[in-house]
Amino acid sequence: MSKTAIHTENAPAAIGPYSQAVKAGNTIYVSGQLPIDPATGAFAGEDIESQTRQSLTNIRNILKEAGADMSNVVKTTVLLKDIADFGAMNGVYAEFFEAPYPARAAFQVAAIPKDARVEIEVVAVV
């Protein structure tokens, strides 16, 4: 099985030794996306809604580069700085997905890189 790194300028560059995404066979593994606007290098905002929207926009752009879209997503993992943000995050999340919705795990973590409020990773199948 071959694996191919996926990279787009329409999402933030990796901040470590990893790829934005890797396609292996018919599966795309998108690395956790911080809410960084690739045009500015800064967070899209300080609130959970704007940060969730930017993280998911980054994911959508990476999937597009790989020849896929959000309808190909089968699993997501949402890391939250504060689980109290779950409801607000969920409202924005619902704007990006349609039924049948991907499987998902969401939980609070001790810290997220750059002190973000959210980080989201996905697995998609094409």
Side-chain angles (χ1 to χ4, degrees):
M1 172 178 49
S2 67
K3 69 178 189 177
T4 305
I6 307 298
H7 176 77
T8 177
E9 297 297 322
N10 296 317
I15 58 173
Y18 62 90
S19 300
Q20 287 175 329
V22 171
K23 185 173 182 182
N26 68 339
T27 306
I28 303 165
Y29 300 90
V30 179
S31 295
Q33 292 299 301
L34 295 173
I36 296 172
D37 180 337
T40 65
F43 285 159
E46 295 302 317
D47 60 284
I48 189 63
E49 292 89 354
S50 61
Q51 289 198 9
T52 300
R53 188 167 287 108
Q54 186 64 55
S55 290
L56 289 168
T57 297
N58 293 341
I59 289 166
R60 183 172 52 202
N61 291 339
I62 293 166
L63 289 172
K64 182 178 179 183
E65 184 69 23
D69 61 37
M70 299 301 269
S71 70
N72 295 104
V73 174
V74 296
K75 172 73 170 82
T76 69
T77 304
V78 179
L79 308 176
L80 294 165
K81 180 178 181 178
D82 185 349
I83 199 69
D85 285 339
F86 180 84
M89 174 280 299
N90 206 44
V92 174
Y93 181 97
E95 297 171 13
F96 284 80
F97 295 101
E98 296 178 2
Y101 299 105
R104 179 177 76 185
F107 44 93
Q108 179 174 314
V109 296
I112 298 174
K114 297 187 176 273
D115 203 31
R117 299 198 65 77
V118 65
E119 181 176 3
I120 303 171
E121 68 174 15
V122 306
V123 176
V125 176
V126 289

